Amino acid sequence: MSQQDADRASTTSAPDRTEEAVPAQAQVAEMEDRWRRTAAELDNYRKRTARESASQREDERARVLARWLPVVDNLELALGHADAEPDAIIDGIRAVRDQALAVLAEFGYPRYDDQGETFDPNRHEAVGTIASSDEKPGTVVHVVRPRYGDGGHVLRPAAVIVAGEER
């Protein structure tokens, strides 16, 4: 074997450490580039989601408030007829109240009259008790403030007075 053959064999059998380092550095650079791009994409996604969420909230608020505008318009009409006959004004105010209740029901929060119902802490807030021989203890005898909504969607529980035991 000649010296040239020996030199060639030594260069092919033992790789140069600098040749090994170049592909590893390239892989590290590629991985770092991928990581930076992924981090940027995630940041952009977060920002886009926040913008879309804010936009959806604002659209929903506008939709709900637009449903209340006719109620406000009718209240203004009622106030414009303040000099009219009292019965007509009362009828107008009742009509506006009914319109407002319809809007609440449309959005899933109907009004409930809980008088005579059994007290339920999930739907009622007891603001007082009264001794009663006519009603079973734990029965709602008077609704101070009505409940809006039902099940897991209660906008406001009813404020009620509950029958207690007679002393």
Side-chain angles (χ1 to χ4, degrees):
M1 177 183 219
S2 71
Q3 184 62 33
Q4 278 182 326
D5 291 337
D7 288 340
R8 266 189 249 144
S10 70
T11 57
T12 57
S13 64
D16 190 7
R17 289 183 185 231
T18 57
E19 288 176 14
E20 225 177 66
V22 172
Q25 287 175 342
Q27 283 181 335
V28 167
E30 182 182 342
M31 293 293 220
E32 187 174 329
D33 182 56
R34 283 184 183 173
W35 174 77
R36 289 184 192 281
R37 287 176 189 268
T38 303
E41 286 176 13
L42 179 61
D43 188 46
N44 290 338
Y45 173 76
R46 285 182 185 146
K47 290 175 184 175
R48 184 177 65 248
T49 303
R51 280 191 311 268
E52 288 172 358
S53 179
S55 176
Q56 286 175 346
R57 262 192 316 275
E58 187 58 36
D59 290 347
E60 187 62 20
R61 285 182 63 205
R63 187 175 76 85
V64 169
L65 293 173
R67 293 294 298 132
W68 282 101
L69 288 178
V71 175
V72 173
D73 293 341
N74 287 332
L75 282 171
E76 287 177 353
L77 284 172
L79 288 172
H81 296 296
D83 297 335
E85 182 181 328
D87 289 339
I89 293 173
I90 291 170
D91 290 341
I93 291 172
R94 279 193 184 113
V96 174
R97 182 209 51 206
D98 292 344
Q99 185 181 26
L101 292 174
V103 171
L104 286 167
E106 180 183 327
F107 284 104
Y109 297 100
R111 179 181 178 159
Y112 287 93
D113 179 18
D114 292 320
Q115 189 158 338
E117 299 287 322
T118 302
F119 178 79
D120 178 356
N122 294 318
R123 298 180 300 154
H124 306 122
E125 176 185 338
V127 294
T129 59
I130 189 167
S132 175
S133 59
D134 298 338
E135 297 290 337
K136 179 179 154 188
T139 301
V140 173
V141 293
H142 179 70
V143 177
V144 177
R145 228 181 28 237
R147 168 175 57 106
Y148 291 91
D150 57 1
H153 302 292
V154 175
L155 186 61
R156 179 181 77 189
V160 298
I161 297 177
V162 182
E165 292 188 19
E166 204 171 10
R167 291 184 182 184

